């Protein structure tokens, strides 16, 4: 249903919490569409970034597809952006999770529980869990 809402131009309803990722299937080479939660946004060298966490771990199809072909397109709100995926090291993943937990404590706790991590709510515990979560940073390509 969220993919349909993005296709209808209703992406702004998600207020930046979700984006539509259009990526290339690693086996078929065909375009694939996946709606994902944005765990963070920012800038890197003047380019927009969107950070995602793979709640199903490194086996998630979209994650494996980006590993094979890191070039993709995101629809954030009504805008489309060509991006390249970057895969942070474990230490950076820990920091990403700690910052996300500060902004969204209940959702962070649920994400960790879903992935099998028990957290006590401390920043250090979220860092530990985040070091094991596969994160992806989508960096906007310069045109």
């Amino acid at each position: 249903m969220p993919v349909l809402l993005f296709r209808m131009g209703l992406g702004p309803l998600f207020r930046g919490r979700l984006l539509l990722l259009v990526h290339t299937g690693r086996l078929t080479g065909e375009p694939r569409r996946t709606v994902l939660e944005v765990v963070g946004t920012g800038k890197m060298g003047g380019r927009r970034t969107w950070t995602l966490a793979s709640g199903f771990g490194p086996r998630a199809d979209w994650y494996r597809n980006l590993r094979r072909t890191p070039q993709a397109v995101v629809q954030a709100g009504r805008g489309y952006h060509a991006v390249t995926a970057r895969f942070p090291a474990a230490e950076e993943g820990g920091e990403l999770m700690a910052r996300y937990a500060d902004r969204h404590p209940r959702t962070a706790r649920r994400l960790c529980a879903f992935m099998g991590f028990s957290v006590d709510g401390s920043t250090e515990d979220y860092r530990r869990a985040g070091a094991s979560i596969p994160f992806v940073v989508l960096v906007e390509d310069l045109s």
Side-chain angles (χ1 to χ4, degrees):
M1 183 66 157
V3 171
L4 180 61
L5 292 174
F6 271 96
R7 285 185 174 175
M8 293 171 53
L10 299 175
L13 289 176
F14 300 114
R15 301 187 189 281
R17 289 289 305 267
L18 301 178
L19 62 72
L20 175 68
L21 175 67
V22 182
H23 49 103
T24 304
R26 68 192 174 287
L27 301 177
T28 65
E30 296 293 320
R32 300 289 181 229
R33 288 167 179 74
T34 307
V35 173
L36 298 162
E37 181 185 7
V38 176
V39 299
T41 59
K43 295 269 186 178
M44 181 181 293
R47 303 176 198 189
R48 291 179 66 176
T49 63
W50 297 266
T51 302
L52 313 171
S54 181
F56 289 106
R59 295 182 318 268
D61 284 332
W62 68 268
Y63 183 85
R64 293 168 65 196
N65 290 343
L66 286 176
R67 280 286 200 186
R68 170 77 50 91
T69 306
Q71 294 73 33
V73 173
V74 297
Q75 181 182 354
R78 286 195 178 95
Y80 291 86
H81 309 271
V83 296
T84 300
R86 183 177 76 73
F87 301 90
E91 181 177 293
E92 186 180 350
E95 289 304 314
L96 290 167
M97 188 66 199
R99 287 196 305 266
Y100 181 73
D102 272 350
R103 290 189 316 276
H104 306 286
R106 287 192 319 224
T107 306
R109 189 178 291 274
R110 283 195 303 265
L111 174 63
C112 287
F114 178 78
M115 295 188 70
F117 299 108
S118 176
V119 292
D120 62 14
S122 69
T123 300
E124 193 51 45
D125 229 16
Y126 281 116
R127 275 194 190 103
R128 182 186 50 77
S132 299
I133 295 173
F135 283 93
V136 177
V137 177
L138 301 174
V139 181
E140 184 176 37
D141 296 337
L142 293 178
S143 302

